[in-house]
Tab-separated table of all heavy atoms in Angstrom:
chain	number	residue	atom	x	y	z
A	230	ALA	N	2.587	1.804	10.403
A	230	ALA	CA	3.907	2.422	10.123
A	230	ALA	C	4.943	1.661	10.932
A	230	ALA	O	6.080	1.463	10.547
A	230	ALA	CB	3.808	3.908	10.421
A	231	LEU	N	4.560	1.263	12.239
A	231	LEU	CA	5.543	0.619	13.032
A	231	LEU	C	5.992	-0.785	12.554
A	231	LEU	O	7.187	-1.140	12.511
A	231	LEU	CB	4.980	0.385	14.470
A	231	LEU	CG	5.787	-0.080	15.532
A	231	LEU	CD1	7.061	0.768	15.808
A	231	LEU	CD2	5.104	-0.397	16.863
A	232	VAL	N	4.993	-1.490	12.059
A	232	VAL	CA	5.360	-2.846	11.629
A	232	VAL	C	5.632	-2.901	10.071
A	232	VAL	O	6.443	-3.726	9.658
A	232	VAL	CB	4.121	-3.805	11.974
A	232	VAL	CG1	4.383	-5.255	11.574
A	232	VAL	CG2	3.720	-3.808	13.393
A	233	GLY	N	5.068	-2.001	9.308
A	233	GLY	CA	5.293	-1.920	7.868
A	233	GLY	C	4.172	-2.464	7.126
A	233	GLY	O	4.354	-2.535	5.780
A	234	ASP	N	2.999	-2.725	7.661
A	234	ASP	CA	1.900	-3.218	6.796
A	234	ASP	C	1.403	-2.178	5.770
A	234	ASP	O	1.066	-1.025	6.181
A	234	ASP	CB	0.652	-3.625	7.735
A	234	ASP	CG	1.013	-4.596	8.664
A	234	ASP	OD1	1.164	-5.919	8.189
A	234	ASP	OD2	1.003	-4.419	9.922
A	235	ASN	N	1.394	-2.613	4.490
A	235	ASN	CA	0.755	-1.877	3.394
A	235	ASN	C	1.543	-0.573	3.251
A	235	ASN	O	1.016	0.502	2.584
A	235	ASN	CB	-0.624	-1.533	3.485
A	235	ASN	CG	-1.468	-2.860	3.450
A	235	ASN	OD1	-1.175	-3.811	2.693
A	235	ASN	ND2	-2.556	-2.860	4.380
A	236	ILE	N	2.833	-0.438	3.614
A	236	ILE	CA	3.614	0.747	3.334
A	236	ILE	C	4.328	0.525	2.033
A	236	ILE	O	4.129	1.341	1.206
A	236	ILE	CB	4.718	0.989	4.526
A	236	ILE	CG1	4.007	1.116	5.807
A	236	ILE	CG2	5.524	2.264	4.172
A	236	ILE	CD1	3.072	2.340	5.875
A	237	VAL	N	5.231	-0.466	1.927
A	237	VAL	CA	5.760	-0.711	0.672
A	237	VAL	C	5.228	-1.942	-0.169
A	237	VAL	O	4.930	-1.928	-1.204
A	237	VAL	CB	7.368	-0.868	0.829
A	237	VAL	CG1	8.054	-1.432	-0.496
A	237	VAL	CG2	8.016	0.484	1.279
A	238	ASP	N	5.085	-3.007	0.690
A	238	ASP	CA	4.556	-4.259	0.127
A	238	ASP	C	3.015	-4.445	0.864
A	238	ASP	O	2.750	-4.033	1.923
A	238	ASP	CB	5.319	-5.437	0.575
A	238	ASP	CG	6.724	-5.248	-0.074
A	238	ASP	OD1	6.807	-5.057	-1.274
A	238	ASP	OD2	7.665	-5.512	0.727
A	239	ARG	N	2.147	-5.068	0.054
A	239	ARG	CA	0.889	-5.336	0.602
A	239	ARG	C	0.977	-6.368	1.796
A	239	ARG	O	1.739	-7.276	1.630
A	239	ARG	CB	0.004	-5.943	-0.602
A	239	ARG	CG	-0.140	-4.998	-1.643
A	239	ARG	CD	-1.138	-5.435	-2.685
A	239	ARG	NE	-0.926	-4.670	-4.024
A	239	ARG	CZ	-1.709	-4.852	-5.030
A	239	ARG	NH1	-2.738	-5.632	-4.898
A	239	ARG	NH2	-1.556	-4.097	-6.004
A	240	SER	N	0.134	-6.228	2.565
A	240	SER	CA	0.172	-7.050	3.880
A	240	SER	C	-0.703	-8.230	3.810
A	240	SER	O	-1.969	-8.064	3.442
A	240	SER	CB	-0.130	-6.181	5.175
A	240	SER	OG	-0.221	-6.965	6.239
A	241	GLU	N	-0.173	-9.406	4.295
A	241	GLU	CA	-1.126	-10.501	4.324
A	241	GLU	C	-2.036	-10.522	5.546
A	241	GLU	O	-3.012	-11.241	5.666
A	241	GLU	CB	-0.258	-11.810	4.527
A	241	GLU	CG	0.662	-12.153	3.259
A	241	GLU	CD	1.402	-13.362	3.397
A	241	GLU	OE1	1.474	-13.898	4.431
A	241	GLU	OE2	2.117	-13.760	2.311
A	242	ARG	N	-1.839	-9.471	6.524
A	242	ARG	CA	-2.646	-9.414	7.709
A	242	ARG	C	-3.965	-8.651	7.439
A	242	ARG	O	-4.718	-8.398	8.289
A	242	ARG	CB	-1.885	-8.790	8.813
A	242	ARG	CG	-0.681	-9.718	9.429
A	242	ARG	CD	0.020	-9.238	10.557
A	242	ARG	NE	0.929	-8.196	10.148
A	242	ARG	CZ	2.230	-8.387	9.987
A	242	ARG	NH1	2.696	-9.609	10.392
A	242	ARG	NH2	3.205	-7.398	9.685
A	243	THR	N	-4.063	-8.053	6.132
A	243	THR	CA	-5.312	-7.296	5.855
A	243	THR	C	-5.832	-7.962	4.512
A	243	THR	O	-5.955	-7.338	3.479
A	243	THR	CB	-5.016	-5.767	5.601
A	243	THR	OG1	-3.939	-5.722	4.679
A	243	THR	CG2	-4.583	-5.091	6.902
A	244	PRO	N	-6.235	-9.185	4.658
A	244	PRO	CA	-6.722	-9.834	3.391
A	244	PRO	C	-8.040	-9.212	2.853
A	244	PRO	O	-8.385	-9.449	1.772
A	244	PRO	CB	-7.017	-11.262	3.884
A	244	PRO	CG	-7.227	-11.197	5.346
A	244	PRO	CD	-6.318	-10.087	5.816
A	245	TRP	N	-8.662	-8.579	3.697
A	245	TRP	CA	-9.939	-7.741	3.331
A	245	TRP	C	-9.677	-6.584	2.508
A	245	TRP	O	-10.527	-5.908	1.885
A	245	TRP	CB	-10.875	-7.441	4.600
A	245	TRP	CG	-9.976	-6.886	5.720
A	245	TRP	CD1	-9.550	-7.709	6.746
A	245	TRP	CD2	-9.465	-5.636	5.922
A	245	TRP	NE1	-8.863	-7.012	7.644
A	245	TRP	CE2	-8.732	-5.601	7.124
A	245	TRP	CE3	-9.670	-4.433	5.284
A	245	TRP	CZ2	-8.198	-4.449	7.696
A	245	TRP	CZ3	-9.020	-3.288	5.793
A	245	TRP	CH2	-8.511	-3.414	7.043
A	246	TYR	N	-8.500	-6.059	2.431
A	246	TYR	CA	-8.133	-4.961	1.705
A	246	TYR	C	-7.471	-5.297	0.318
A	246	TYR	O	-6.494	-5.986	0.213
A	246	TYR	CB	-7.050	-4.110	2.478
A	246	TYR	CG	-6.568	-2.888	1.715
A	246	TYR	CD1	-7.302	-1.814	1.312
A	246	TYR	CD2	-5.215	-2.928	1.196
A	246	TYR	CE1	-6.861	-0.741	0.613
A	246	TYR	CE2	-4.785	-1.825	0.496
A	246	TYR	CZ	-5.495	-0.805	0.086
A	246	TYR	OH	-4.976	0.299	-0.640
A	247	GLY	N	-8.093	-4.898	-0.804
A	247	GLY	CA	-7.659	-5.272	-2.083
A	247	GLY	C	-6.986	-4.202	-2.893
A	247	GLY	O	-6.656	-4.413	-4.027
A	248	GLY	N	-6.708	-3.088	-2.260
A	248	GLY	CA	-6.114	-2.009	-2.849
A	248	GLY	C	-4.568	-2.013	-2.915
A	248	GLY	O	-3.847	-2.995	-2.412
A	249	PRO	N	-3.870	-1.099	-3.399
A	249	PRO	CA	-2.353	-1.080	-3.385
A	249	PRO	C	-1.789	-0.625	-2.198
A	249	PRO	O	-2.515	-0.110	-1.194
A	249	PRO	CB	-2.088	0.100	-4.455
A	249	PRO	CG	-3.215	1.047	-4.416
A	249	PRO	CD	-4.396	0.191	-3.974
A	250	SER	N	-0.499	-0.916	-1.908
A	250	SER	CA	0.302	-0.388	-0.817
A	250	SER	C	0.421	1.219	-1.107
A	250	SER	O	0.277	1.670	-2.113
A	250	SER	CB	1.526	-1.004	-0.716
A	250	SER	OG	2.481	-0.706	-1.808
A	251	LEU	N	0.952	1.821	-0.022
A	251	LEU	CA	1.195	3.297	-0.093
A	251	LEU	C	2.148	3.586	-1.222
A	251	LEU	O	2.029	4.475	-2.039
A	251	LEU	CB	1.754	3.757	1.202
A	251	LEU	CG	2.082	5.256	1.183
A	251	LEU	CD1	0.946	6.148	0.857
A	251	LEU	CD2	2.727	5.691	2.612
A	252	LEU	N	3.304	2.855	-1.306
A	252	LEU	CA	4.316	3.193	-2.287
A	252	LEU	C	3.763	2.760	-3.683
A	252	LEU	O	4.097	3.559	-4.572
A	252	LEU	CB	5.679	2.273	-2.042
A	252	LEU	CG	6.810	2.669	-2.954
A	252	LEU	CD1	7.160	4.141	-2.915
A	252	LEU	CD2	7.992	1.798	-2.662
A	253	GLU	N	3.183	1.711	-3.830
A	253	GLU	CA	2.496	1.380	-5.115
A	253	GLU	C	1.626	2.528	-5.742
A	253	GLU	O	1.600	2.840	-6.829
A	253	GLU	CB	1.751	0.010	-5.055
A	253	GLU	CG	2.629	-1.191	-4.882
A	253	GLU	CD	1.816	-2.443	-4.585
A	253	GLU	OE1	0.622	-2.218	-4.143
A	253	GLU	OE2	2.270	-3.550	-4.856
A	254	LEU	N	0.877	3.008	-4.795
A	254	LEU	CA	-0.062	4.131	-5.200
A	254	LEU	C	0.794	5.424	-5.529
A	254	LEU	O	0.527	6.010	-6.579
A	254	LEU	CB	-0.992	4.443	-4.130
A	254	LEU	CG	-2.096	5.487	-4.322
A	254	LEU	CD1	-2.924	5.197	-5.559
A	254	LEU	CD2	-3.068	5.714	-3.172
A	255	LEU	N	1.776	5.667	-4.662
A	255	LEU	CA	2.650	6.831	-4.913
A	255	LEU	C	3.349	6.725	-6.276
A	255	LEU	O	3.615	7.763	-7.041
A	255	LEU	CB	3.536	7.078	-3.888
A	255	LEU	CG	2.952	7.538	-2.458
A	255	LEU	CD1	3.991	7.614	-1.417
A	255	LEU	CD2	2.302	8.828	-2.618
A	256	GLU	N	3.670	5.486	-6.577
A	256	GLU	CA	4.455	5.315	-7.940
A	256	GLU	C	3.428	5.542	-9.110
A	256	GLU	O	3.976	5.677	-10.272
A	256	GLU	CB	5.024	3.984	-7.993
A	256	GLU	CG	6.283	3.821	-7.017
A	256	GLU	CD	6.851	2.490	-7.159
A	256	GLU	OE1	6.161	1.479	-7.359
A	256	GLU	OE2	8.165	2.381	-6.985
A	257	THR	N	2.219	5.499	-9.041
A	257	THR	CA	1.242	5.585	-10.128
A	257	THR	C	0.531	6.858	-10.269
A	257	THR	O	0.017	7.217	-11.366
A	257	THR	CB	0.171	4.479	-10.060
A	257	THR	OG1	-0.481	4.446	-8.856
A	257	THR	CG2	0.941	3.048	-10.094
A	258	LEU	N	0.351	7.621	-9.156
A	258	LEU	CA	-0.201	8.965	-9.205
A	258	LEU	C	0.540	9.988	-10.066
A	258	LEU	O	1.831	10.002	-10.099
A	258	LEU	CB	-0.434	9.569	-7.839
A	258	LEU	CG	-1.420	8.825	-7.012
A	258	LEU	CD1	-1.475	9.436	-5.515
A	258	LEU	CD2	-2.786	8.879	-7.557
A	259	GLU	N	-0.202	10.848	-10.763
A	259	GLU	CA	0.431	11.890	-11.665
A	259	GLU	C	0.141	13.175	-11.179
A	259	GLU	O	-0.855	13.437	-10.643
A	259	GLU	CB	0.006	11.627	-13.142
A	259	GLU	CG	0.429	10.332	-13.753
A	259	GLU	CD	1.878	10.251	-13.887
A	259	GLU	OE1	2.558	11.385	-13.903
A	259	GLU	OE2	2.377	9.122	-14.154
A	260	PRO	N	1.157	14.148	-11.128
A	260	PRO	CA	0.896	15.438	-10.850
A	260	PRO	C	-0.281	16.131	-11.762
A	260	PRO	O	-0.192	15.852	-13.030
A	260	PRO	CB	2.223	16.250	-11.140
A	260	PRO	CG	3.374	15.063	-11.060
A	260	PRO	CD	2.540	13.986	-11.664
A	261	GLU	N	-1.062	16.820	-11.029
A	261	GLU	CA	-2.214	17.522	-11.915
A	261	GLU	C	-1.736	18.568	-12.507
A	261	GLU	O	-2.157	18.944	-13.752
A	261	GLU	CB	-3.370	17.735	-10.990
A	261	GLU	CG	-4.520	18.304	-11.689
A	261	GLU	CD	-5.656	18.677	-10.734
A	261	GLU	OE1	-5.561	19.664	-10.041
A	261	GLU	OE2	-6.622	17.810	-10.627
Protein backbone atom coordinates (compact mmCIF):
# COMPACT_ATOMS: atom_id res chain seq x y z
CA ALA A 1 0.00 0.00 0.00
CA LEU A 2 2.88 2.36 0.76
CA VAL A 3 4.63 1.93 -2.57
CA GLY A 4 1.62 1.02 -4.70
CA ASP A 5 2.51 -2.48 -5.88
CA ASN A 6 -0.51 -4.32 -7.35
CA ILE A 7 -3.00 -1.74 -6.10
CA VAL A 8 -4.08 -0.14 -9.36
CA ASP A 9 -1.43 -1.44 -11.75
CA ARG A 10 0.35 -4.79 -11.72
CA SER A 11 3.83 -4.58 -10.25
CA GLU A 12 7.01 -5.58 -12.08
CA ARG A 13 8.52 -6.35 -8.67
CA THR A 14 6.27 -9.43 -8.26
CA PRO A 15 6.93 -11.34 -11.50
CA TRP A 16 5.95 -14.57 -9.76
CA TYR A 17 2.37 -13.27 -9.31
CA GLY A 18 0.23 -13.73 -12.39
CA GLY A 19 -3.12 -12.48 -11.10
CA PRO A 20 -4.90 -9.11 -11.39
CA SER A 21 -4.21 -5.96 -9.40
CA LEU A 22 -6.63 -5.05 -6.63
CA LEU A 23 -8.50 -2.49 -8.75
CA GLU A 24 -8.64 -4.82 -11.76
CA LEU A 25 -10.28 -7.47 -9.60
CA LEU A 26 -12.71 -5.00 -8.02
CA GLU A 27 -13.79 -3.85 -11.49
CA THR A 28 -14.76 -7.39 -12.51
CA LEU A 29 -16.45 -8.79 -9.39
CA GLU A 30 -20.23 -8.84 -9.41
CA PRO A 31 -22.56 -8.39 -6.44
CA GLU A 32 -24.07 -11.73 -5.47
